[in-house]
Amino acid sequence: MNFLSQLTGCFAQPCAENPTVAMVEAAYQHHGLDWRYINCEVGPDKLGDAVRGALAMGWAGFNCSLPNKVEVIQYLAGLSESAKIIGAVNCAVRRDDQFIGENTDGKGFLESLREQVDPAGKSLVMFGAGGAARAIGVETALAGLAKITVVNRSTGRGQELATLLREKTPAEVDFVQWDSEYNIPAGTNIVVNSTSIGLFPDVDARLALNMDSLTPDMLVADVIPNPPRTNLVRDAEAKGCTVIDGLGMLVNQGVIGIKYWTGLDADPTVMRAKLEEIFAG
Ligand code: NDP
């Protein structure tokens, strides 16, 4: 075990079985990598010390979860292009003895989307305008989406994201305030839930969405990883849509992080199987 030069870390919440830790370590074990991925709880007041400590101890990088995704930026040496636009970092990578901030959330989503459809030239309706939506909106728009409609409950956050996407990407962008049952416009190719609706323990929650406006030619993606089979996933499947659950994004952001840190192309099926085991339990 090499603790000095090959340690990756996750600044996150303490939890006996953190799904991300279990998922990444399953990949390390599967590929025979003598690496560790550990979970450390770090509040905003100690974030600078933690980043300097990780650098001093030779960590290859770390993941960063809420509430540290924006706060951490000031302690990093630079940002990737999309992390700069998104304005948040969930993954730091050691390059030239410095940490560079990446955002792998949107890239992970894009990867699972591309397994089903090429977003170039497509139109997308996205519920939500928080951190996940920013990452997904920026990456899919940079990947060539023709049109993106941001549908969000609060006007301020929704308009802010729509303005960001309009200014920083070539996509055509609309904002719709979400205060009643939403009808997906005919001709929409991709529908994404990037709100927290449906996340455990509120598993019975449903989006205010007219399910009759979903047609079988649409792809419906949910970011909720726990439980993976949300009401939206089930309802969209019943309408004949192609569906992508939230495990796709979570697994793929992990695959991308492992590649950045170790250079290895990790097997996503091993990582998904570990998450399914945890979320089924
Ligand atoms: P934020 O808190 O930044 O944003 C939450 C969004 O959900 C906002 O747009 C908020 O609207 C909306 N929202 C929440 N509750 C409701 C509701 N009852 N009705 C309507 N809108 C609602 O969270 P994140 O963007 O960081 O995370 C969102 C979800 O994405 C989480 O559940 C998280 O688990 C998941 N996620 C999954 C990942 C994966 O790998 N699968 C990666 C990252 C996140 P408003 O602006 O009006 O408050």
Side-chain angles (χ1 to χ4, degrees), residues 128-132 152-154 157 195-197 199 223-224 246 249-250:
N152 196 53
R153 180 179 60 180
S154 73
R157 242 192 326 184
T195 74
S196 39
I197 298 172
L199 185 67
V223 298
I224 300 296
M249 179 175 177
L250 186 54

Side-chain angles (χ1 to χ4, degrees), residues 123 125 147 149 151 176 182-189 191 213 215 218:
S123 69
V125 168
K147 182 171 180 189
T149 304
V151 183
V176 176
Y182 185 78
N183 288 296
I184 304 291
T188 299
N189 306 110
V191 177
S213 64
T215 51
M218 293 175 185

Side-chain angles (χ1 to χ4, degrees), residues 184 191 209-216 218 220 232 236 239 241:
I184 304 291
V191 177
L209 162 63
N210 177 7
M211 293 309 295
D212 288 334
S213 64
L214 287 181
T215 51
M218 293 175 185
V220 177
L232 178 64
K239 286 285 171 191
C241 304

Side-chain angles (χ1 to χ4, degrees), residues 227-250:
R229 286 188 61 75
T230 56
N231 279 332
L232 178 64
V233 165
R234 289 167 197 272
D235 294 346
E237 242 174 26
K239 286 285 171 191
C241 304
T242 304
V243 298
I244 299 176
D245 67 27
L247 294 187
M249 179 175 177
L250 186 54

Side-chain angles (χ1 to χ4, degrees), residues 139-159:
E139 291 292 352
T140 53
L142 291 178
L145 269 186
K147 182 171 180 189
I148 179 160
T149 304
V150 176
V151 183
N152 196 53
R153 180 179 60 180
S154 73
T155 309
R157 242 192 326 184
Q159 271 176 345

